[in-house]
Amino acid sequence: MAEPLSNGAVYQSVPESYVLPEHKRPGRSPPSSAAAIPVVDLGGDDPDRMAEQIVAAGREFGFFQVINHGVPEDVMGAMMSAAEEFFKLPTEEKMAHYSTDSTKLPRFHTSVGKEQEQLLYWRDCLKIGCYPFEEFRHQWPEKPAGLAGALEPYTAAVRGVALRVLRLAASGMGLADEAHFEAGGELTAGPVIMNVNHYVACPDPSLTLGIAPHCDPNVVTVLMDNGVRGLQARRRHRHGHQGDGEGWVDVDPPPGAFVVNFGHQMEVVTNGRVRAGEHRAVTNARAPRTSVAAFVMPAMGCVVSPAAGMVPEGEAPFLRPYTYQEFVGVYTAANGDRDAVLARLRNHSG
Ligand code: OGA
Ligand code: NI
């Protein structure tokens, strides 16, 4: 059985099994002058401005941060405390939830996100089914004591933020129906699943990664962390321009902010007008990092395709139509690697 990284050990060096082959290592940290991830202020009453900023950030990064989102500090704080407490539990308490079956919920796993690749990543993770509450409540871990109580208010709140962001995005892109992501299309009718991620302090962040580069498979993800740096977003130019401004940018949310990133389905629905935010987690030498990522998912049977007006007349959508269930199969087989996922679903008829 695997041993979690958060087993109380203090690592003096990176164990051999976590040292990535050179071409997979994170490379040099981005310069501090690197482009910052946009901040969208959801307070006030200028929805047109918010919508415009969300779409602009979606185009460049697929990532942005939101402030004045209305989620009470104590709801966020209770969730983060419970998340941090979980990883301080004795190893056997965590391992009670351990599984290598990626479909199991809840599921504690360590370093094995990319099992077929035979590479180990510097992360422990507790994956929890959160919403609908009736479906998942009974299976929430009893320890730490605060976790079950924190999950419901936190999930309800971040789901609300996610849906609000999607309505703003829909209006910013000029979709006919501002509720495109809620109505009929089932794009947000699936569950909310949460990754509670923990990265113990790493003696040499240049040798390993917490999570390999990926886009999330779903529509939109809302994340908070404990203020320790680690998340990075990839910035790419739209039109094949390499070089200038490309590369990894630190996502370092101000206290109380959420990080929002679009997933693969958002890119498909908009036919690439906004992008899925590619990201990775580097490790931190100074302190342990904990993050809570809530994934708002489509219903499994949802057929995902571009919204009306998103594909220019006479052109074909960049991906062929598929169900979300099919997408998840492809995503899993491709280890979440963006290019591999897209290659398998590309539209060859257009
Ligand atoms: C994830 C993820 C990033 C982080 O759980 O999918 O990308 O900052 N997490 O922990
Ligand atoms: Ni992710």
Side-chain angles (χ1 to χ4, degrees), residues 39-268:
V39 176
V40 180
D41 185 346
L42 291 180
D45 49 18
D46 191 355
D48 290 346
R49 188 237 341 131
M50 298 172 200
E52 213 171 278
Q53 290 178 340
I54 287 170
V55 172
R59 209 176 277 137
E60 192 171 6
F61 290 102
F63 258 91
F64 50 96
Q65 317 179 64
V66 296
I67 56 170
N68 294 322
H69 43 64
V71 180
E73 239 169 76
D74 60 332
V75 169
M76 296 176 75
M79 185 64 227
M80 183 49 76
S81 302
E84 291 184 310
E85 285 300 314
F86 177 82
F87 294 99
K88 291 182 192 150
L89 291 173
T91 298
E92 58 278 12
E93 300 274 7
K94 288 180 289 216
M95 291 305 274
H97 304 285
Y98 180 79
S99 175
T100 54
D101 174 0
S102 67
T103 63
K104 188 185 164 280
L105 290 173
R107 174 192 179 217
F108 177 64
H109 60 104
T110 172
S111 322
V112 291
K114 311 258 162 162
E115 253 164 328
Q116 297 100 319
E117 250 185 358
Q118 303 295 329
L119 296 176
L120 296 183
Y121 290 88
W122 197 263
R123 169 177 77 134
D124 289 346
C125 177
L126 175 68
K127 186 175 179 186
I128 311 173
C130 295
Y131 178 94
F133 302 126
E134 316 79 74
E135 190 178 331
F136 294 115
R137 195 188 277 124
H138 70 277
Q139 44 167 260
W140 289 344
E142 284 168 22
K143 290 182 185 168
L147 178 58
L151 275 172
E152 189 161 327
Y154 182 78
T155 303
V158 292
R159 186 166 186 273
V161 171
L163 296 183
R164 182 160 169 225
V165 160
L166 290 176
R167 279 196 297 275
L168 288 165
S171 98
M173 286 180 306
L175 296 196
D177 183 2
E178 200 182 279
H180 182 85
F181 294 95
E182 291 142 274
E186 298 185 315
L187 283 163
T188 53
V192 176
I193 306 287
M194 184 183 283
N195 270 357
V196 183
N197 300 304
H198 187 72
Y199 311 89
V200 301
C202 177
D204 188 347
S206 74
L207 297 178
T208 189
L209 279 171
I211 308 189
H214 68 284
C215 298
D216 294 337
N218 50 307
V219 180
V220 65
T221 302
V222 180
L223 176 144
M224 71 168 168
D225 68 22
N226 66 341
V228 174
R229 201 173 287 193
L231 178 60
Q232 295 183 335
R234 179 176 264 169
R235 183 191 202 198
R236 285 204 222 212
H237 284 301
R238 302 290 296 169
H239 300 295
H241 246 342
Q242 293 292 315
D244 232 22
E246 297 264 320
W248 295 100
V249 177
D250 281 322
V251 184
D252 195 12
F258 287 114
V259 177
V260 179
N261 72 273
F262 292 136
H264 276 289
Q265 307 318 313
M266 188 68 175
E267 186 165 321
V268 172

Side-chain angles (χ1 to χ4, degrees), residues 8-27:
V10 176
Y11 298 88
Q12 304 297 340
S13 64
V14 177
E16 197 60 45
S17 51
Y18 289 89
V19 175
L20 290 172
E22 237 159 283
H23 70 284
K24 300 231 176 205
R25 292 181 198 168

